[in-house]
C-alpha cells in the first residue's frame, strides 16, 4: 500500500458545487466563469498561421529552443525592458507552470545540502507544490525582512512574482535580487504578467543584473496562447546552462511548430497593446461594479470578503457571487491561508459577459 505523497485536490476542482449554483442563476443568462486565469480572446492571426506552416513537425525540436525563438525572445526583452541578453542566457520552457513545478527539483539535485523553497505567502500554488515535488520544505514569506536566518541559510531558491497572482501587487525586484545575492540564494522571478503592469512600465528582475537570478516569461497571458504551451527563462548564465542541460536529459521540449509560432508572437507588440486595453477596460468595469480597488498589475481583482459582510471569508463571498451574480470566482484560500479572507476574480470573459455580471450585481438585494 502506498504510504507516501498523495496529491491534494486540484484547487479549481473544488469549485464544482459553486459552478452548479452559478449556472442556475435565475435570469437564465448562464454562468460567467471568472475563476481560472485562462485567456478568452483570440491570438494574433500571424501566430496561428505560423503554427500550420513551420514545417517543424517531423524532427525533434531543440529542448533549449530554436535559435530563431531565442533571438525573438531576447529581442522582446530588449524592446520591453531595455535588457540586452545573449541567447546563451535564455532557454525555452513548455509554458511556465512546468518550469515552476520542476525547477526546485533540479536545483536540489545540484545542491542537496539546501532543502528549503521560499515563496510569497499569498501566491500561485505551484511554488509550494514545486517544493513538495522536490522533497523540500515549502516556506512562505510575507516580506523578505521576515525570512528567518535558518530558512535563508537552508534556501535552495526564493520565488518572487510581480505582478502578483492573485493580489496584483508589484514586488521590489531590485531588493529581491540583492537579498538573494547577499545570501547566495538563486532568485526565481515569475514575470508572466509583466505586460499587464498598470502602475508604471513593465519590469523584470534582469534590470538589476543577471547574477544569481532568473526571470520566467510566458506567452500564455501575453499573447493568448495558453493552449500552445510556450515560455522561456533567462538570466544567470550558469543557472541557464545547468537547467537547460538537465531539462534536455529529461525530455522537456516545446513542440517545433509552437516554437515557430512563439517567435512570431515575440516579434510583435501590437497584439499585446490591444490585449492590454481589453483587460484595462474589463478591470475597470468589474472594479466599479464591486466597489473594489484596481490592481497595480495582472488581470485579477483581489476582493476582500468583508466588503460583502463583516467577518465573511472568501468561500462565503464566492458563494454569494455565484448565487446573486451567477459568476464563479476563486476563494482566496487557494493562494495560501493568508488569502482566506479574499476572492480572486479573473477578468477573462468578453465585455458583454462581464456586463451581465455588473447588471446582476447592481440588482443584488
Ligand atoms: C503566477 C503564474 N505563474 C505561472 C503560470 C503558468 O502559466 P503558463 O504555464 O501557462 O505559462 C500562471 C498561470 O496562471 C501564473 O498565474
Amino acid at each position: 500500500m502506498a504510504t507516501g505523497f498523495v496529491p491534494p485536490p486540484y484547487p479549481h476542482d473544488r469549485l464544482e458545487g459553486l459552478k452548479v449554483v452559478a449556472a442556475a442563476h435565475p435570469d437564465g443568462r448562464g454562468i460567467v466563469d471568472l475563476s481560472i486565469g485562462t485567456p478568452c480572446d483570440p491570438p494574433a492571426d500571424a501566430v496561428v498561421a505560423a503554427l500550420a506552416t513551420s514545417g517543424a513537425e517531423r524532427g525533434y525540436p531543440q529542448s533549449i529552443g530554436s535559435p530563431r525563438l531565442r533571438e525573438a525572445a531576447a529581442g522582446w526583452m530588449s524592446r520591453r525592458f531595455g535588457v540586452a541578453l545573449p541567447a546563451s542566457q535564455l532557454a525555452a520552457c513548455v509554458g511556465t507552470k512546468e518550469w515552476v513545478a520542476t525547477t526546485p527539483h533540479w536545483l536540489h539535485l545540484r545542491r542537496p545540502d539546501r532543502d528549503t523553497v521560499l515563496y510569497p505567502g499569498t501566491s500561485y500554488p505551484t511554488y509550494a507544490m514545486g517544493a513538495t515535488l522536490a522533497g523540500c520544505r515549502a516556506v512562505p514569506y510575507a516580506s523578505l525582512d521576515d525570512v528567518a536566518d535558518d530558512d535563508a541559510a537552508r534556501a535552495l531558491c526564493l520565488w518572487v512574482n510581480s505582478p502578483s497572482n492573485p493580489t496584483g501587487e508589484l514586488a521590489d525586484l531590485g531588493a529581491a535580487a540583492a537579498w538573494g545575492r547577499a545570501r547566495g540564494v538563486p532568485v526565481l522571478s515569475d514575470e508572466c504578467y509583466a505586460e499587464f503592469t498598470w502602475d508604471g512600465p513593465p519590469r523584470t528582475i534582469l534590470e538589476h543584473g543577471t547574477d544569481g537570478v532568473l526571470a520566467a516569461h510566458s506567452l500564455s497571458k501575453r499573447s493568448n496562447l495558453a493552449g500552445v504551451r510556450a515560455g522561456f527563462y533567462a538570466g544567470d548564465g550558469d543557472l541557464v546552462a545547468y537547467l537547460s542541460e538537465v531539462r534536455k536529459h529529461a525530455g522537456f521540449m516545446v513542440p517545433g511548430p509552437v516554437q515557430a509560432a512563439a517567435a512570431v508572437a515575440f516579434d510583435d507588440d501590437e497584439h499585446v497593446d490591444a490585449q492590454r486595453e481589453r483587460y484595462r477596460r474589463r478591470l475597470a468595469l468589474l472594479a466599479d461594479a464591486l466597489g473594489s480597488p484596481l490592481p497595480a498589475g495582472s488581470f485579477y481583482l483581489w476582493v476582500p470578503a468583508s466588503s460583502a459582510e463583516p467577518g465573511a471569508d472568501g468561500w462565503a463571498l464566492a458563494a454569494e457571487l455565484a448565487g446573486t451574480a451567477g459568476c464563479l470566482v476563486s476563494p482566496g484560500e487557494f493562494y495560501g491561508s493568508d488569502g482566506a479572507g479574499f476572492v480572486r476574480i479573473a477578468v477573462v470573459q468578453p465585455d458583454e459577459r462581464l456586463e451581465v455580471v455588473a447588471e446582476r450585481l447592481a440588482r443584488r438585494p
Side-chain angles (χ1 to χ4, degrees), residues 166-178:
T167 68
E169 285 166 8
L170 304 180
D172 183 342
L173 296 175

Side-chain angles (χ1 to χ4, degrees), residues 69-79 83-87 90 232 266:
L69 169 59
R70 293 162 78 206
E71 271 161 32
W76 170 70
M77 292 227 68
S78 153
R79 285 194 315 279
V83 168
L85 273 184
L90 187 155
F232 73 87
F266 277 124

Side-chain angles (χ1 to χ4, degrees), residues 155-298:
L156 186 62
C157 59
L158 171 98
W159 284 105
V160 285
N161 174 217
S162 181
S164 156
N165 170 13
T167 68
E169 285 166 8
L170 304 180
D172 183 342
L173 296 175
W179 188 97
R181 285 181 191 132
R183 293 162 181 80
V185 177
V187 178
L188 309 180
S189 180
D190 179 347
E191 300 171 359
C192 70
Y193 296 97
E195 295 274 22
F196 308 119
T197 301
W198 314 118
D199 285 1
R203 286 153 228 183
T204 174
I205 198 163
L206 304 184
E207 287 161 44
H208 307 281
T210 59
D211 269 6
V213 302
L214 291 175
H217 285 278
S218 171
L219 286 178
S220 296
K221 324 282 180 180
R222 174 188 184 271
S223 301
N224 299 331
L225 289 170
V228 309
R229 315 306 304 137
F232 73 87
Y233 55 100
D236 185 281
D238 177 54
L239 285 170
V240 172
Y242 167 70
L243 289 173
S244 59
E245 265 317 284
V246 74
R247 289 171 55 84
K248 181 164 65 176
H249 283 290
F252 285 85
M253 286 172 266
V254 177
V258 173
Q259 295 200 23
V264 174
F266 277 124
D267 279 349
D268 180 60
D269 298 325
E270 217 170 284
H271 71 282
V272 185
D273 294 339
Q275 192 59 39
R276 278 171 60 85
E277 287 320 305
R278 286 187 197 110
Y279 286 137
R280 202 197 282 275
R281 203 171 57 233
R282 292 174 187 162
L283 283 167
L285 195 160
L286 271 201
D288 190 41
L290 286 156
S292 82
L294 286 164
S298 83

Side-chain angles (χ1 to χ4, degrees), residues 20 22 39 41 61 63 72 90 107 111 115 135 171 183 197 204 250 253 296 332 339 342 344-345 353 364:
V20 174
D41 302 297
S63 172
L90 187 155
L107 294 179
R111 289 294 308 264
D115 70 349
R183 293 162 181 80
T197 301
T204 174
M253 286 172 266
F342 292 78
R344 190 198 74 174
I345 303 181
R353 297 303 289 160
R364 261 195 310 191

Side-chain angles (χ1 to χ4, degrees), residues 36-48:
I36 302 182
T38 189
C40 69
D41 302 297
D45 290 343
V47 175
V48 179

Side-chain angles (χ1 to χ4, degrees), residues 102-110 242-243 246-247 250 252:
T102 57
T103 295
H105 179 63
W106 311 130
L107 294 179
H108 189 46
L109 286 175
R110 199 187 199 200
Y242 167 70
L243 289 173
V246 74
R247 289 171 55 84
F252 285 85

